[in-house]
Amino acid sequence: MSSAFLKKTTLLLFILTQATGAISREFTLNELITIAIKNNKEIKSLREEKEYYRGKYIEAASAYYLPYINADIMAGGPIANQKKEVNRVTDASNFGYMGIDSGFGYLIKSSIDLIYPIYTFGKLGSLKEAADFGVESAEANLRAKEIEVAVQVAQAYYGLILFNDILSVLSDGEKRLKEARKKLRELLEKEEGNVTEKDLFKLDYYSSELYFRIAETKKGLELARSSLRTLCTIEENIETAESSLEANTSEEINLTEYIIKSRDNRYEIKALRNLKKAMEQLAQAQKRAYFPDIFIGGGLRFSHSNFDFDENNPWIRDDFNYFGFAVGLGAKVNLEIGSKYGKEVQTYAQFMKYQYLEEALIGAVELQTKKLFEEYTEAKNNFETYSKGEKAAKKWLTTETMNYNIGLGDTKGLIDALVAYAQSGIIKNKSLYDMKIKKMILDYYAGLTKIPK
């Protein structure tokens, strides 16, 4: 094979690839959920919010475990060499001449203060606990968003399979209509059978309706594929690794069990519950703000200059060369009672707000769980009903087709059988889709299914 032929073939393949758009690739549902969660901007924002609250916790924990230390260091110059003389020691109010000699020098000064709280009546502990609950609330909000994204991806993913199944049903109907039309033309030309031009019009009208449904289904198919690409922020043309919808139709689920598990494991409730606990701890801290803080305090002062005065006179202080430290027990209290009481009222009101919101959310979750359960049950019943209906419609259509082929059937009967077969197949597949999605949401909310990582 010549190199010129290989080059031409490669160029042709490149042109065809560019013309057909993005390259298709098969994905499993878990792969797409992982990609979507990784790339979702809102989830990234919630991760940063969690980091913010983690920083708040580190700040509160540091105040609880570590001492407060403040250090000031200053170095510079020039400073003048001061000449100090006391020529009348009997008169403490007259230090005599204090002048400035020639020459300049440098100065280094430092002060270090340390305060370590040993008992704060629980204020620092409550603030640390509040910050910890803030981190847990942010984590719960993050997980709730991940589940929301996972459900959206699953709806689009299984929607893609559903539209392909519906398209397959409609395409089968289109094939049968074409065969019926061909046979009808033959019967009309031979003037055989109980057919007229009116039957041809009926077939053509139903064909136009069918083509419209096929176009709508293809539109839905592309919309589902586009939704997946948007949710996952990928350019590849997505194909599903699964070719058909499957669900455990014999499984019986317990509504009471799902309500209890959803109440305990629903991340939206966890987020609100942790916010309520954080406010409770803040309210406790405000109640204890009226009490003093008991602490151990210490300080160190140091100064050095290249001018050494060596002062021994008790009435003269050397501001440039000294060293000293002290340690003691102290208490500190803020006497702004009105401000403290106002903050106590605010934090308690916030605590009660989240208490009522939690109760309301629990009620809403129970109602939503019941609704999902009813929708799952309805979809399951529809699936079982239309599975039987599809089998009956298929037999009916087979009989009508055989009669039509030998000129004994009528167009209305054939069209009715086609409509029944297509409708039962579409509703059966749609019911299977609803079963799968509702069960998945119930399992996510109850904590029975984890987000793939």
Side-chain angles (χ1 to χ4, degrees):
M1 188 178 291
S2 67
S3 60
F5 177 79
L6 286 173
K7 289 180 180 179
K8 288 180 180 179
T9 305
T10 304
L11 180 60
L12 179 60
L13 288 172
F14 175 78
I15 293 172
L16 288 173
T17 302
Q18 296 301 310
T20 55
I23 300 173
S24 295
R25 178 185 162 192
E26 276 192 0
F27 291 90
T28 65
L29 176 59
N30 285 348
E31 286 175 339
L32 290 175
I33 289 175
T34 302
I35 294 170
I37 289 175
K38 179 182 177 182
N39 296 334
N40 187 273
K41 300 297 183 184
E42 290 184 65
I43 289 177
K44 288 182 179 181
S45 172
L46 289 172
R47 285 198 184 108
E48 295 305 319
E49 183 178 0
K50 178 188 170 184
E51 285 299 300
Y52 168 81
Y53 282 104
R54 195 172 72 87
K56 285 283 188 182
Y57 173 78
I58 292 172
E59 182 182 359
S62 297
Y64 182 81
Y65 292 111
L66 302 176
Y68 168 80
I69 301 175
N70 182 59
D72 294 319
I73 300 175
M74 182 184 71
I79 60 170
N81 184 11
Q82 297 184 13
K83 180 180 179 182
K84 300 181 181 180
E85 294 180 359
V86 178
N87 50 26
R88 293 177 61 191
V89 295
T90 58
D91 187 355
S93 64
N94 186 355
F95 289 162
Y97 169 72
M98 292 184 183
I100 298 178
D101 271 351
S102 61
F104 294 91
Y106 63 85
L107 174 69
I108 300 174
K109 297 182 72 173
S110 175
S111 65
I112 299 175
D113 296 303
L114 183 146
I115 296 176
Y116 186 75
I118 56 176
Y119 192 71
T120 64
F121 294 88
K123 288 190 286 291
L124 292 180
S126 293
L127 292 174
K128 181 174 73 70
E129 289 298 315
D132 190 28
F133 286 126
V135 174
E136 292 183 18
S137 178
E139 173 72 17
N141 278 326
L142 173 61
R143 298 302 168 213
K145 187 62 184 180
E146 288 180 347
I147 288 178
E148 181 184 333
V149 170
V151 169
Q152 290 173 347
V153 171
Q155 288 173 328
Y157 183 86
Y158 289 124
L160 201 59
I161 300 174
L162 173 64
F163 283 120
N164 275 320
D165 287 345
I166 292 175
L167 193 60
S168 177
V169 171
L170 294 176
S171 297
D172 183 46
E174 180 187 15
K175 178 184 176 182
R176 290 176 182 270
L177 272 179
K178 286 181 178 178
E179 291 173 352
R181 195 177 192 283
K182 180 180 178 182
K183 185 62 180 178
L184 178 60
R185 289 298 254 174
E186 291 176 2
L187 293 173
L188 286 173
E189 288 174 3
K190 295 178 180 178
E191 297 182 353
E192 296 177 359
N194 188 23
V195 294
T196 64
E197 287 286 339
K198 188 168 71 170
D199 295 313
L200 185 61
F201 299 151
K202 288 179 182 179
L203 282 179
D204 288 343
Y205 172 77
Y206 184 69
S207 295
S208 64
E209 283 285 322
L210 186 62
Y211 293 143
F212 173 76
R213 299 300 175 194
I214 290 174
E216 287 291 303
T217 304
K218 288 181 177 178
K219 181 180 176 182
L221 189 67
E222 289 307 312
L223 183 61
R225 187 175 280 116
S226 178
S227 297
L228 277 176
R229 285 201 298 265
T230 301
L231 286 168
C232 301
T233 61
I234 58 178
E235 297 297 328
E236 292 168 296
N237 195 28
I238 297 172
E239 297 294 342
T240 60
E242 299 174 59
S243 58
S244 61
L245 292 168
E246 293 180 4
N248 187 357
T249 56
S250 62
E251 182 181 13
E252 296 293 334
I253 64 176
N254 188 304
L255 174 59
T256 304
E257 180 184 355
Y258 271 96
I259 289 176
I260 294 171
K261 288 185 178 296
S262 295
R263 216 162 34 205
D264 294 337
N265 298 316
R266 188 78 177 260
Y267 284 112
E268 290 88 345
I269 294 178
K270 286 183 177 181
L272 204 54
R273 188 172 291 154
N274 283 313
L275 274 178
K276 183 192 74 174
K277 290 178 180 178
M279 285 300 156
E280 184 180 21
Q281 291 298 322
L282 288 176
Q284 290 294 330
Q286 289 302 326
K287 283 183 179 179
R288 295 161 182 163
Y290 301 103
F291 300 100
D293 295 337
I294 311 300
F295 63 89
I296 295 175
L300 183 147
R301 302 290 183 270
F302 165 79
S303 180
H304 171 71
S305 172
N306 60 336
F307 294 145
D308 186 7
F309 300 125
D310 292 328
E311 293 292 349
N312 295 317
N313 193 314
W315 302 107
I316 299 178
R317 183 179 123 186
D318 189 348
D319 291 325
F320 301 107
N321 291 279
Y322 60 83
F323 177 84
F325 65 91
V327 177
L329 187 67
K332 181 178 71 172
V333 61
N334 186 338
L335 297 178
E336 295 180 356
I337 305 299
S339 175
K340 290 180 180 180
Y341 180 69
K343 290 180 179 178
E344 181 185 350
V345 171
Q346 293 172 40
T347 51
Y348 181 74
Q350 288 289 96
F351 164 72
M352 290 305 301
K353 181 184 82 169
Y354 289 121
Q355 173 69 31
Y356 294 133
L357 286 175
E358 181 189 0
E359 292 173 3
L361 183 57
I362 288 174
V365 163
E366 290 180 0
L367 183 61
Q368 186 184 34
T369 304
K370 290 177 183 177
K371 182 174 180 292
L372 286 167
F373 175 81
E374 293 298 331
E375 290 172 344
Y376 169 82
T377 304
E378 181 185 6
K380 183 179 179 181
N381 292 335
N382 288 340
F383 173 77
E384 292 172 352
T385 299
Y386 280 94
S387 292
K388 296 175 183 177
E390 184 186 34
K391 292 177 182 177
K394 187 174 184 180
K395 293 177 181 177
W396 178 19
L397 179 59
T398 302
T399 303
E400 289 290 341
T401 303
M402 290 173 61
N403 291 336
Y404 203 81
N405 288 337
I406 61 177
L408 297 178
D410 64 280
T411 304
K412 184 180 183 305
L414 178 65
I415 290 176
D416 288 344
L418 274 170
V419 170
Y421 178 66
Q423 186 174 348
S424 59
I426 290 170
I427 296 177
K428 184 199 78 170
N429 289 329
K430 177 64 169 59
S431 300
L432 192 59
Y433 169 85
D434 288 337
M435 277 183 63
K436 201 168 187 69
I437 293 298
K438 303 306 177 184
K439 181 65 165 54
M440 174 181 287
I441 296 174
L442 282 169
D443 287 346
Y444 272 137
Y445 287 167
L448 300 176
T449 301
K450 302 300 181 184
I451 298 293
K453 298 297 182 183

